[in-house]
Amino acid sequence: MTKNKEGVTLEKLIKEFIYYEQFGQQKSENTIKSYKKDLEQFLEFIKGHEILENINEIEELNLRGFVLYLGTINISKRSISRKLSTLRTFFKYLKKNKVIDKNPIILLNNPSFVSKFPILLKKEELEQLRSVIDISKTNGIRDRLIIELLYSSGIRAGELLSLGENIVDLEAREIKIVGSSSRTVFFSMITSKYLKEYLIAKKEKYGEKYNSDIIFVNGSGTRLSDRSLRRIIDRYAKKAMLKKDISPHTFRHTFGVYLLEKGMNVHFLQELMGHTSPESTRIYEEHMIVNRRNIFEV
């Protein structure tokens, strides 16, 4: 189940929020009942339609999927707006208490946002990111590898951070993802190049601290955290002077739309991305049709 970096489940956070609103904010009984109903429905959607390892991975696209789902079960726009109001209050609470780094719903005001397209990277923007990374250093090679792997495989941030060498096949360019979303993902030749370079450089840098069970490490040689990964992406985005607010998920979104643009079947893409429901994958298909973009080759 979705947890934050301290391992607290989404269910527990919802209970803490309800308790705070009921006894700390003295909200009415009807309001508390609405909060419970709306958040339980959102929780069931996340559990049934998305496999997220970290609460920080809940993004605008997941909320869009929730609204699309509500539409399929004939929930009125007025009720959807109320549910979004509940989610805004909930995520504001999480952000205030530093449970999440970014509020994924802050820019969403009403159901009309469903027609928006997820943030994508264009070819020139990827090149800008690549150009500002100093690959003469071990951490620079690591960071270039992160960007290449996120884009070329569509892997989730949590999955990337949990990688060990034993599940990566360099020759076949495959990764065996294990867990609740078990599947095989594939990566590009350029990713393979930087992975080989990084493993060599990491062995030389960390010596006896080298651990083959952890691919991506911090300066101490231990596993890189979700927060650190996001800071790395933010740092290079600012250095490259990108005008978009990108995250690790931006690469995953771009990957999904790119493959649909190239003619991949939506059901195969669903399996490749590890979505438990086709609804999550069809969001890419729907917005690809409405908003044609210039998706690039790897």
Side-chain angles (χ1 to χ4, degrees):
M1 187 53 224
T2 306
K3 301 178 181 180
N4 73 343
K5 58 183 181 298
E6 283 80 29
V8 180
T9 64
L10 183 54
E11 293 99 321
K12 188 172 189 298
L13 290 170
I14 288 174
K15 288 179 180 178
E16 290 174 351
F17 167 75
I18 295 296
Y19 184 88
Y20 170 76
E21 291 294 311
Q22 184 173 6
F23 299 106
Q25 298 297 97
Q26 299 293 308
K27 293 291 178 68
S28 70
E29 183 177 348
N30 286 337
T31 298
I32 295 301
K33 285 182 178 179
S34 292
Y35 281 173
K36 285 181 178 179
K37 181 179 179 181
D38 295 340
L39 291 173
E40 285 173 1
Q41 192 168 32
F42 178 67
L43 176 63
E44 288 305 307
F45 170 81
I46 290 295
K47 290 169 67 175
H49 295 79
E50 295 286 351
I51 303 296
L52 303 174
E53 300 297 330
N54 189 294
I55 285 170
N56 274 302
E57 290 182 15
I58 295 178
E59 296 195 342
E60 185 176 327
L61 186 63
N62 306 121
L63 300 170
R64 227 187 262 115
F66 179 53
V67 172
L68 286 174
Y69 163 71
L70 293 174
T72 66
I73 58 175
N74 298 317
I75 301 297
S76 69
K77 287 187 177 181
R78 178 174 294 181
S79 294
I80 291 175
S81 294
R82 191 205 72 225
K83 293 177 189 298
L84 289 178
S85 178
T86 296
L87 287 172
R88 281 195 293 272
T89 304
F90 176 59
F91 282 110
K92 183 178 179 180
Y93 164 83
L94 295 181
K95 183 68 170 64
K96 181 180 178 181
N97 287 280
K98 299 181 179 180
V99 177
I100 57 175
D101 299 324
K102 293 181 180 179
N103 187 339
I105 202 171
I106 194 168
L107 299 178
L108 309 182
N109 298 315
N110 55 60
S112 66
F113 76 84
V114 177
S115 63
K116 285 187 174 182
F117 203 72
I119 295 174
L120 303 176
L121 283 169
K122 296 180 180 179
K123 182 177 181 179
E124 57 268 26
E125 292 169 333
L126 178 66
E127 292 301 329
Q128 284 175 259
L129 283 171
R130 287 169 167 161
S131 69
V132 297
I133 301 175
D134 181 4
I135 56 174
S136 67
K137 300 177 181 179
T138 301
N139 282 354
I141 300 173
R142 176 201 65 190
D143 298 344
R144 178 66 182 270
L145 171 60
I146 285 171
I147 287 175
E148 300 296 345
L149 183 55
L150 284 171
Y151 173 72
S152 71
S153 69
I155 198 171
R156 296 182 177 91
E159 293 169 340
L160 178 140
L161 294 172
S162 66
L163 289 179
E165 294 178 35
N166 61 312
I167 61 173
V168 178
D169 187 331
L170 269 169
E171 297 304 316
R173 304 207 312 271
E174 297 178 355
I175 299 174
K176 302 291 184 183
I177 302 295
V178 295
S180 55
S181 183
S182 297
R183 67 195 189 283
T184 299
V185 299
F186 309 91
F187 53 88
S188 65
M189 291 183 69
I190 192 170
T191 303
S192 180
K193 171 183 178 294
Y194 282 105
L195 178 54
K196 290 175 183 176
E197 291 183 11
Y198 178 56
L199 294 180
I200 293 172
K202 192 171 65 160
K203 285 179 181 178
E204 292 178 354
K205 179 174 181 177
Y206 295 102
E208 293 182 356
K209 288 185 178 181
Y210 182 85
N211 184 352
S212 63
D213 291 331
I214 305 173
I215 290 184
F216 295 101
V217 300
N218 56 29
S220 302
T222 57
R223 195 179 301 277
L224 195 69
S225 69
D226 177 80
R227 184 182 293 271
S228 294
L229 174 62
R230 291 170 183 274
R231 284 175 176 169
I232 288 169
I233 299 297
D234 285 342
R235 183 171 71 249
Y236 288 120
K238 290 177 182 176
K239 194 172 181 181
M241 294 185 290
L242 299 186
K243 296 180 180 180
K244 297 175 178 177
D245 185 16
I246 69 171
S247 72
H249 244 55
T250 303
F251 298 90
R252 179 170 162 85
H253 300 332
T254 307
F255 166 86
V257 176
Y258 168 73
L259 290 182
L260 286 177
E261 287 275 3
K262 287 299 179 180
M264 178 173 284
N265 180 279
V266 68
H267 296 292
F268 184 63
L269 180 61
Q270 174 192 341
E271 182 180 344
L272 190 60
M273 298 191 75
H275 289 153
T276 58
S277 165
E279 289 175 14
S280 296
T281 317
R282 286 190 180 122
I283 295 171
Y284 295 118
E285 187 176 45
E286 176 182 337
H287 294 296
M288 179 192 70
I289 294 170
V290 175
N291 301 279
R292 292 285 178 179
R293 297 294 180 93
N294 177 27
I295 307 302
F296 55 88
E297 300 283 352
V298 177

